[in-house]
Amino acid sequence: MPSFPLSLRLVAAPLWALALGRELLLTRARPLVELHLGGRHGLPDARALLALADAEDVRGLHVTVDGLAEGWATLAAAREALSAVRRSGKFVSFELEHCGNAELYLASVGDRVWIRPMVQVQALGVAATLRFAGDALERLGLSFDLESAGEYKSFGETFTRAWASPENREAIAEVVDGLERELEEGIAAGRRLSVEAVRAAIHDGPLDAEEAHRRGLVDGVAYADAIRKDLDAIFGEKDTPRLSFARWARAHLARVRLERWTEGRRRVAVLHLAGNVVDGEGGPGAPVIAARPTVEKLVQLAEDDSVGGVVLHIRSPGGSATASDVIWRAAAELGRKKPVVAVLGDVAASGGYYIAVAATEILVGPNTLTGSIGVVG
């Protein structure tokens, strides 16, 4: 970018910076930021939550939680980011409109957790369901010819067996037991309870709201208007100023873009790769990692001098071996020109992991599932 004087560059500032100036002024009252999760609201970007931890113009964060459907690794990343907000000295509270494993695990990092009076705590532990059609196909006179490599490559068992092989049961049990430990230990640490007490609460569930309060899983049972009054009392201010997380995030993004634009800094690009790995262009429907557009994007990032490094955020069970191979090659070529780091999400298996090995470093969360069914024909 040409080195224009700062005053000239500000005059030519993009419209987004001018339009969001009003948003920047909203934080002068040091508001309580409100975040709604669940329903049509997914989990926010962990980077925005971490930025909130560093924000001096925010006094706290209140999170209203409906049902969550995210995977365990995504959930753990959001939980750690919320923990960072609390560790920064900001007050973090939760209001549970629905409560299962995920909601209680996430909310356990809060300073204060309220639950609605009629909500049941459906934290019942972790389980896995396996389905087998081998017996049904046999009754219909059908057979399924399968070739696979390795005792633990259980993908084909769905079509050839009536129940799980010992190796399949062992692998699934390891995953379930690991997630169960994470759930119990996470809730126990956040709520300052013993693991045994949390395990007993899960075993005895579902629990009504009052019983969950009695066992220390939540701090109070209240409706939304009473919770608002409690928050005002905590902050010692009637009608505490409030700001939605979406508006705060827009203001933060305006700051970041303005700083980058005025200083001409190089940036780190994040490329999200989610879904099955497929050949060609892909198509409508669920998200996929299509070979041709993905390779084009990787080449574009390699040639863009304003990009100093690339993060590949991968959430994929795998798919086409040929598509995975050409994407891996493009990622490896990108890595010859600038740093590439792979961050694995809920799952990165087979072709998804194949792509990741092109990176200089691979980072995973404690709940990321990484593996492969191998080659099955």
Side-chain angles (χ1 to χ4, degrees):
M1 179 180 289
S3 181
F4 297 125
L6 178 60
S7 58
L8 178 59
R9 296 179 71 185
L10 286 175
V11 168
L15 290 177
W16 52 258
L18 302 177
L20 289 174
R22 182 173 61 87
E23 304 288 351
L24 296 173
L25 297 175
L26 292 172
T27 57
R28 286 187 174 180
R30 296 193 70 241
L32 173 67
V33 172
E34 296 183 308
L35 173 63
H36 195 122
L37 302 179
R40 59 185 179 85
H41 307 275
L43 290 178
D45 191 311
R47 292 173 298 173
L49 286 173
L50 291 173
L52 184 66
D54 295 331
E56 297 179 357
D57 53 6
V58 171
R59 69 177 73 186
L61 174 67
H62 181 65
V63 186
T64 302
V65 186
D66 200 345
L68 299 174
E70 282 72 19
W72 280 100
T74 301
L75 195 65
R79 188 176 186 272
E80 176 55 33
L82 289 164
S83 297
V85 176
R86 183 180 179 185
R87 289 195 300 269
S88 72
K90 297 176 180 62
F91 185 84
V92 178
S93 57
F94 287 81
E95 178 179 345
L96 302 181
E97 297 179 345
H98 177 90
C99 188
N101 290 335
E103 294 78 17
L104 189 59
Y105 174 70
L106 190 69
S108 64
V109 301
D111 293 285
R112 194 68 58 88
V113 180
W114 288 276
I115 190 170
R116 297 284 176 84
M118 293 301 291
V119 173
Q120 277 195 332
V121 176
Q122 297 277 351
L124 305 178
V126 182
T129 300
L130 303 177
R131 293 181 175 86
F132 298 92
D135 194 33
L137 291 173
E138 186 177 345
R139 293 178 190 178
L140 295 172
L142 303 174
S143 62
F144 190 93
D145 293 327
L146 177 75
E147 294 291 341
S148 62
E151 295 175 343
Y152 290 87
K153 307 308 181 184
S154 55
F155 173 78
E157 288 188 8
T158 299
F159 308 101
T160 60
R161 296 180 60 93
W163 56 83
S165 67
E167 294 80 11
N168 190 4
R169 289 181 62 88
E170 178 188 348
I172 295 299
E174 285 289 334
V175 171
V176 169
D177 289 347
L179 293 176
E180 183 84 2
R181 285 194 300 272
E182 174 73 16
L183 175 67
E184 293 173 350
E185 292 172 3
I187 295 172
R191 297 300 304 164
R192 294 189 175 93
L193 298 169
S194 68
V195 172
E196 291 73 20
V198 173
R199 186 175 298 136
I202 290 174
H203 181 270
D204 294 341
L207 307 175
D208 62 30
E210 292 293 345
E211 179 66 11
H213 183 207
R214 188 185 69 80
R215 292 182 181 235
L217 298 178
V218 298
D219 296 297
V221 180
Y223 291 105
D225 58 323
I227 293 171
R228 178 176 287 268
K229 291 179 181 178
D230 285 347
L231 287 169
D232 287 343
I234 288 169
F235 289 111
E237 182 176 352
K238 186 177 181 181
D239 297 326
T240 304
R242 294 165 184 257
L243 180 66
S244 74
F245 181 81
R247 296 185 73 181
W248 180 88
R250 285 197 298 269
H252 169 71
L253 182 60
R255 289 191 186 97
V256 171
R257 286 181 172 177
L258 189 59
E259 288 173 2
R260 183 186 300 152
W261 191 80
T262 56
E263 296 177 11
R265 291 184 298 176
R266 299 178 78 194
R267 66 188 190 277
V268 175
V270 180
L271 180 59
H272 294 276
L273 301 175
N276 292 325
V277 184
V278 300
D279 296 299
E281 299 283 351
V288 295
I289 306 172
R292 187 168 293 112
T294 303
V295 168
E296 290 173 355
K297 177 58 69 174
L298 291 168
V299 171
Q300 177 185 337
L301 291 170
E303 297 174 350
D304 189 342
D305 292 335
S306 70
V307 174
V310 177
V311 174
L312 302 178
H313 181 233
I314 301 172
R315 293 182 295 124
S316 172
S320 166
T322 54
S324 302
D325 184 59
V326 297
I327 295 172
W328 164 83
R329 176 79 191 313
E333 290 298 308
L334 170 63
R336 297 178 189 275
K337 297 183 177 181
K338 53 196 68 175
V340 177
V341 175
V343 178
L344 309 186
D346 295 323
V347 60
S350 296
Y353 186 74
Y354 188 175
I355 295 169
V357 299
T360 306
E361 292 187 50
I362 301 175
L363 306 178
V364 301
N367 299 329
T368 297
L369 295 180
T370 307
S372 173
I373 59 169
V375 179
V376 176

